[in-house]
Amino acid sequence: MPQVSVAQLFEENLEALRLSWLAGEAHAGALLDSGQINQAGQGLIGHLNFYHPNWIQIFSRMEASYFQVMPPPAQEEALARLQDSGLACLIVSDGELPPPSIRKFAEQRRVPVIASPLPSLQIIWVVRTYLGRALADFATRHGVFLDVLGMGVLLTGESGVGKSELALELITRGGGLVADDVVELYHVAPETLEGRSPELLKDFLEVRGLGMLNIRTIFGETAVRVRKNLKLIVRLEKPIGGVIPGLERLPLEASTEEILGVLIRKVVLPVAAGRNLAVLVEAAVRNYVLQLRGIDSTQEFIRRQEQHFGRGS
């Protein structure tokens, strides 16, 4: 299951949220685990709540005012509830300083306390978005993942079928490389898979005969992408005896592939000498964009035929 530590959360949002440590930095190795979070049914992040605690509690100016007027016994009871909730960390917003009882609780219970001068709602928005990506379920696929005409396209096929050469051609035509060989797909929303590259392979494309090419260095910043949502899978197939089993010349129904419970549109392109695969991939992207807008060329052709033969009968 995907995991992220409080230390990671701090480091990767340090600049965006202007974070600093107030207490418990030594205990920042505490992990947020997606499986544990799903089973517990707790909120991921939210304002300080003693009755339905979140994994990450935000202590804003309003919570500080409320907490300070609570009698000491009530404060202790509330903090005891936090202790039993599996609290991962406290984030103090609005430049507030937590009361001594909160600091004491954090030190005794080894709870990290982080400070930010930003408003609580901004912190919640940034951290929730970050955790949504960091804790998303993911799978890996072999292929080349590209931005083609603004759409995330995954090129798949057997080794040696020409994926890298096709990717290189698409990059020279204005596309962008996201990942080569190993594509990490993260389930960031109910119907959305976000593709990224492993850090080790980022910016590199392996082309037979040329070796490893640093696409960013060769083609510039505009030729690479950090991430892209997967919308289309293009599988390259070498025909056997001139035929690809199961491939229809005029498919009446769209083909899909399921990844992490999400159905992704899929097209199969035969690989043969003289075929301009880059043009075909771009045409597949344009055709899918039209279909998303409700324009289906195949169905339009069928209707035109039906109208023609209907008039002739």
Side-chain angles (χ1 to χ4, degrees), residues 153-175:
V153 178
L154 176 61
L155 304 180
T156 66
E158 298 295 329
S159 180
V161 77
K163 298 185 296 295
S164 297
E165 291 82 354
L166 173 56
L168 194 59
E169 173 68 16
L170 289 166
I171 291 169
T172 63
R173 296 168 67 93

Side-chain angles (χ1 to χ4, degrees), residues 197-270:
S197 172
E199 194 64 33
L200 184 65
L201 302 176
K202 193 171 290 184
D203 298 341
F204 286 100
L205 177 69
E206 181 188 4
V207 180
R208 292 174 187 269
L210 297 179
M212 300 298 292
L213 302 180
N214 188 317
I215 298 302
R216 185 187 298 271
T217 303
I218 296 174
F219 295 98
E221 296 288 334
T222 59
V224 294
R225 309 286 188 272
V226 175
R227 60 178 66 90
K228 196 74 182 175
N229 290 344
L230 174 61
K231 295 295 184 182
L232 181 66
I233 297 173
V234 177
R235 181 165 181 83
L236 306 181
E237 291 272 8
K238 287 184 177 179
I240 301 174
V243 177
I244 296 178
L247 180 63
E248 300 179 34
R249 182 180 178 89
L250 190 64
L252 300 180
E253 294 185 2
S255 176
T256 59
E257 181 174 329
E258 183 176 334
I259 303 175
L260 294 174
V262 180
L263 292 177
I264 304 297
R265 181 65 63 87
K266 178 180 178 180
V267 297
V268 178
L269 294 181

